[in-house]
Amino acid sequence: MNDLDRHDVLLLAELQRDARQTVQQLAAAAGLSSTPCWKRVKEMETAGIIRGYTALVDREKVGLSLCVLAEVNLTRHHEDDVRRFEDAVAAEPRIVSCYATTGQADYVIKVLVPDIKRYESFLHETLFKLAGVTHVRSSVVLKEVKAETRLPLEVPGARTAGRRLR
């Protein structure tokens, strides 16, 4: 299921907007009847296009007021070192995203904690102790200007090139 048609993209856009919709609501939005709609959603789940469903939680309302973007460099890029680092990052709940990057940093991670004291503890008790970490450059986020979770899906065959769904 590599090629998504207009109906698939419309279904994905609707699910990204509100994943709690009924099959009937999704079908209406995508211009399908209920059974084909349900089958398409199930096929996209099976194919891994839809990886899961989740609730979006306001981080500040649950006490995670500090967001830090940290650039991390490793001593060397030996396969075992990289695997150990990435496994440790994947297991650490305070690291909510991690990207292997080009440029000055080997990785950029996003860390959520209640306050600066907890971030300092996280650095000393966790991040600095990871095998191979040689340098960490932290940037405290002052304000999230945009933190979108929806992917910018384009409708295949739309009249306007690059037309995106909102």
Side-chain angles (χ1 to χ4, degrees), residues 8 10 29-30 36 51-52 63-64 68 72 81 84 89 107 133 143:
D8 295 328
L10 289 170
R51 297 186 313 189
L64 297 171
V68 179
V72 180
D81 294 337
R84 276 196 303 275
V89 164
Y107 294 89
V133 171
K143 175 173 71 171

Side-chain angles (χ1 to χ4, degrees), residues 21-71:
Q21 295 181 72
T22 65
V23 172
Q24 292 76 19
Q25 290 171 314
L26 289 170
L32 296 167
S33 60
S34 294
T35 301
C37 172
W38 179 83
K39 285 181 181 179
R40 283 175 182 258
V41 170
K42 290 300 170 196
E43 287 172 2
M44 289 189 284
E45 289 172 352
T46 300
I49 294 167
I50 298 173
R51 297 186 313 189
Y53 301 90
T54 189
L56 299 177
V57 177
D58 185 312
R59 68 177 176 80
E60 291 190 32
K61 289 182 180 176
V62 296
L64 297 171
S65 299
L66 188 68
C67 177
V68 179
L69 302 177
E71 297 177 356

Side-chain angles (χ1 to χ4, degrees), residues 68-84:
V68 179
L69 302 177
E71 297 177 356
V72 180
N73 288 93
L74 302 182
T75 308
R76 50 188 207 144
H77 298 98
H78 187 269
E79 185 178 332
D80 290 339
D81 294 337
V82 168
R83 182 183 42 74
R84 276 196 303 275

